Amino acid sequence: MIPKKAFVVKGTGVHKDKLASFELALRDGGIEKFNLVTVSSILPPNCDVVPQEEGLADLKPGQIVYCVMAKNQTDEPRRQIAAAIGNAVPVNRKDYGYISEHHSFGEDERTAGVYAEDLAATMLATTLGVEFDADSAWEEREQVYKASGHIFDTTHYCQCAQGDENGLWTTVVVAMVFVI
């Protein structure tokens, strides 16, 4: 079972019950009708990241679907939450890439997203033997990674929200969903 396609969804849900809040976030992302199985962080070789509509068209309600998911939840009024996925794709599509998950409090969309992207790129760079200064800023390492000729692209997807002002559960999810 090696996926040939993947797509990204994002969603937010608010409800008095924690589980229902999660369900509403999945609905917002369009993946509530699947039996989701979370997996670790490998982007399979030759796997194309396609638009959400294209990926969803290949799935059926009730299907067991694998995904890498970032999720965060709070019932604290106005608490900032974020869930982010980072993606790093190698130049050689026969190699595998990396997908990272990041869940944080108090970070805005850019901060959480860049962190996830950095994490995925760093994991890929270390497996490809790219030499870099781990203490340098992301922007510097990003240039080193891409100049190495081994990393084709990096990106991130992030969903942020503030906790409901009345203390209802607020959930954010981002998922890279695989199509097998």
Side-chain angles (χ1 to χ4, degrees), residues 30-144:
I31 57 171
E32 78 287 352
K33 61 187 133 304
F34 309 117
N35 289 302
L36 301 172
V37 178
T38 57
V39 296
S40 61
S41 308
I42 298 299
L43 180 69
N46 299 307
C47 185
D48 293 321
V49 178
V50 300
Q52 179 178 352
E53 300 76 30
E54 181 180 336
L56 285 171
D58 291 332
L59 302 175
K60 294 178 178 44
Q63 183 173 346
I64 295 172
V65 175
Y66 297 93
C67 66
V68 176
M69 182 184 295
K71 171 179 89 168
N72 206 347
Q73 298 177 287
T74 188
D75 64 351
E76 296 178 45
R78 293 176 291 286
R79 185 165 194 195
Q80 179 76 12
I81 58 174
I85 294 281
N87 191 31
V89 181
V91 167
N92 184 348
R93 293 190 26 89
K94 292 180 182 177
D95 290 334
Y96 61 88
Y98 273 91
I99 306 163
S100 66
E101 317 92 61
H102 178 59
H103 336 267
S104 63
F105 296 96
E107 292 182 335
D108 62 22
E109 187 171 331
R110 175 161 169 65
T111 302
V114 167
Y115 184 90
E117 183 176 352
D118 180 4
L119 188 56
T122 299
M123 289 189 297
L124 180 56
T126 58
T127 63
L128 296 173
V130 176
E131 294 186 21
F132 62 92
D133 177 4
D135 295 325
S136 63
W138 158 242
E139 291 78 12
E140 294 173 37
R141 282 181 285 123
E142 179 182 27
Q143 295 307 313
V144 170

